[in-house]
Amino acid sequence: MIEPSWVESANQETSDFPLNNLPHGVFSRRNAPGSGRRLGIAIGDAVLDIAALAKEQVIGAPAGAENALVEPAWNHFMACGPRAWQDFRARLRELLAADGPETDRAAVSRAMVPLADVDLHLPFVVAEYTDFYSGRHHATNVGTMFRGAENALPPSWLHMPIGYNGRASTVVVSGTPVHRPWGQLKPPGRDAPEFAPCRRFDFELEMGAVVGLPSTMGRPVSVAEAETMIFGYVLLNDWSARDIQTWEYRPLGPFQAKATATTISPWIVTPAALEPFRVSGPERDRELLPYLHEPGPMMFDIDLEVTLRPDGAAADTTLTQTNFRELYFSPAQQICHHSSSGCRMSAGDLIGSGTISGPNPENRGSFLELAWGGKEPVGLAEGGTRVFLEDGDRVSMTGRAQGKGFRVGFGSCNGTVLPAIKYPGLGN
């Protein structure tokens, strides 16, 4: 059920940000030079200025981290650990609940800023970025295209989460435009590659887990420990240059094809907000090794959708609809496996889930699958088709966990494809 708030807009069934949610973000006041970036909590159609509340001593920082709530990113607060997160959330719910004490309500009201009047920024400083490949339907579809159905999944795939280390430097917040990348391409029938703008630019529908509590180098963590380290979740679009990847990926996997940009939604939704939606993941075909065993359900029932709007169009085209629960390995299993070598996890690590596709064609989480490698064009709402992204296309992702009379949402994760820049020294 919805948790009533005295903030009326938070009580609407269509709000992504009821009192049940309280996601963490970073904002600045639009048209207010010098206001700077500040920590914020979304509630209804407003953002709560946490620095303002801390200044008025309405809400306190964890002991030993007195400046954590007046910094321009959540990293310092995240590193304080789960007890601090729980206490902070409890205080927010007390301040915002309809039946909560009215003592501090005037101060809280002063700290409210309309969402329409703010710019949103990366909510945390990304320490490292690791992208996994844990969507079985996606891995099966892609493997079938390139190796045939009988060899779709690599031998190790059902036994462990497969991933690669990506680029933290090009993780950007929703709304940031993305230039079409340059790279080495080898078109069919050519004996040698050419250097040109990507022709098969794609989106990938993913979720990202944000590590809040760091681990110790040399010490692996269990699946249960890994789950307690997760501060929250974001939507994630891992833009992919398919033709660059085809030429470069042997023998070490993705490199430049995945380095262009990774877009995340601006709000970190906490595990506490998602707890009512906890579910089990897919059934296992193979028994996992003991270190990857889950102590209980570790996935969430989150509906995911991707739309596309071409430049100049008036309507969006829904490309895909799927669900987070389709992921074969949970984020906790991914972090556990990541640390199994002794790798240290840091506050601010971003863990990409891998593309989340479902069992049916309308559930496919990338153009590579939707258009089946370019062979089956996808129709658009206002006419025309796509096999991959064209310049001017705006890709938008949404995610919502639907409860009875309320929902827990992530806001939008969107980006527009811009033409490739003029490459220095090529005279183009």
Side-chain angles (χ1 to χ4, degrees):
M1 298 291 291
I2 194 166
E3 297 176 12
S5 170
W6 56 265
V7 181
E8 289 300 326
S9 60
N11 299 324
Q12 305 300 315
E13 290 188 21
T14 55
S15 174
D16 276 350
F17 308 126
L19 184 59
N20 308 62
N21 193 349
L22 302 179
H24 297 63
V26 169
F27 75 99
S28 61
R29 292 174 182 259
R30 192 174 300 139
N31 303 320
S35 63
R37 299 186 181 190
R38 305 166 76 86
L39 303 184
I41 297 292
I43 178 73
D45 59 8
V47 56
L48 185 58
D49 186 338
I50 296 303
L53 292 183
K55 184 178 180 180
E56 294 201 38
Q57 299 183 335
V58 174
I59 197 164
E66 284 70 22
N67 294 324
L69 299 182
V70 295
E71 296 180 355
W74 284 99
N75 295 61
H76 193 180
F77 176 80
M78 292 193 301
C80 294
R83 179 58 185 271
W85 310 342
Q86 293 164 10
D87 291 347
F88 181 73
R89 179 177 174 83
R91 177 58 173 156
L92 287 172
R93 293 174 73 184
E94 179 183 43
L95 291 170
L96 295 166
D99 59 356
E102 298 185 15
T103 311
D104 297 307
R105 195 164 291 184
V108 175
S109 295
R110 289 194 299 272
M112 293 277 190
V113 184
L115 275 169
D117 295 339
V118 305
D119 292 317
L120 299 174
H121 308 281
L122 278 177
F124 64 103
V125 177
V126 182
E128 306 283 353
Y129 168 49
T130 302
D131 190 35
F132 281 89
Y133 188 54
S134 293
R136 182 171 183 177
H137 296 294
H138 172 72
T140 300
N141 288 337
V142 174
T144 298
M145 271 183 250
F146 294 107
R147 294 184 297 274
E150 65 283 358
N151 296 308
L153 294 178
S156 61
W157 200 94
L158 293 171
H159 295 273
M160 66 178 180
I162 295 173
Y164 70 96
N165 287 314
R167 292 290 300 174
S169 63
T170 46
V171 177
V172 296
V173 74
S174 174
T176 305
V178 175
H179 283 277
R180 181 177 299 275
W182 288 76
Q184 284 201 22
L185 322 173
K186 186 178 177 296
R190 293 278 297 269
D191 293 330
E194 61 178 326
F195 188 68
C198 166
R199 300 186 184 105
R200 294 164 67 92
F201 201 40
D202 203 356
F203 71 90
E204 288 191 342
L205 171 60
E206 303 191 25
M207 295 285 291
V210 181
V211 175
L213 189 65
S215 66
T216 302
M217 182 175 175
R219 182 190 178 279
V221 300
S222 68
V223 175
E225 289 173 318
E227 188 175 45
T228 68
M229 294 165 59
I230 298 173
F231 181 67
Y233 298 88
V234 294
L235 301 173
L236 188 152
N237 180 0
D238 197 33
W239 304 89
S240 297
R242 301 298 186 186
D243 41 5
I244 295 174
Q245 185 173 352
T246 298
W247 175 237
E248 76 175 3
Y249 83 100
R250 295 187 182 94
L252 296 181
F255 182 44
Q256 292 296 81
K258 297 289 191 132
T260 300
T262 300
T263 301
I264 64 171
S265 52
W267 298 106
I268 306 172
V269 176
T270 64
L274 293 171
E275 186 60 33
F277 308 99
R278 183 179 290 274
V279 293
S280 298
E283 293 185 9
R284 308 285 175 198
D285 283 15
R286 309 279 176 82
E287 177 70 16
L288 298 178
L289 293 172
Y291 80 103
L292 285 173
H293 285 181
E294 295 172 301
M298 288 196 167
M299 291 298 298
F300 299 104
D301 182 6
I302 303 171
D303 291 322
L304 303 170
E305 182 176 88
V306 182
T307 62
L308 182 145
R309 179 174 294 196
D311 186 26
D316 291 328
T317 296
T318 298
L319 295 178
T320 191
Q321 294 176 319
T322 184
N323 194 286
F324 184 44
R325 69 191 302 169
E326 295 288 351
L327 205 63
Y328 193 79
F329 290 103
S330 69
Q333 288 175 311
Q334 293 170 344
I335 293 169
C336 165
H337 181 66
H338 206 333
S339 77
S340 63
S341 63
C343 172
R344 179 182 186 272
M345 308 306 295
S346 302
D349 280 355
L350 176 62
I351 307 298
S353 64
T355 303
I356 305 171
S357 297
N360 303 312
E362 63 271 21
N363 309 137
R364 293 170 179 171
S366 66
F367 259 131
L368 180 64
E369 300 165 84
L370 287 165
W372 207 252
K375 298 178 182 178
E376 301 174 8
V378 176
L380 302 180
E382 296 184 358
T385 61
R386 289 288 185 277
V387 291
F388 289 101
L389 294 171
E390 296 185 5
D391 294 347
D393 285 349
R394 183 177 186 265
V395 178
S396 300
M397 298 178 175
T398 54
R400 297 185 177 101
Q402 186 63 54
K404 186 176 181 180
F406 77 100
R407 66 191 188 197
V408 170
F410 290 75
S412 177
C413 176
N414 66 74
T416 300
V417 180
L418 300 182
I421 64 169
K422 291 186 177 181
Y423 203 90
L426 293 186
N428 53 11

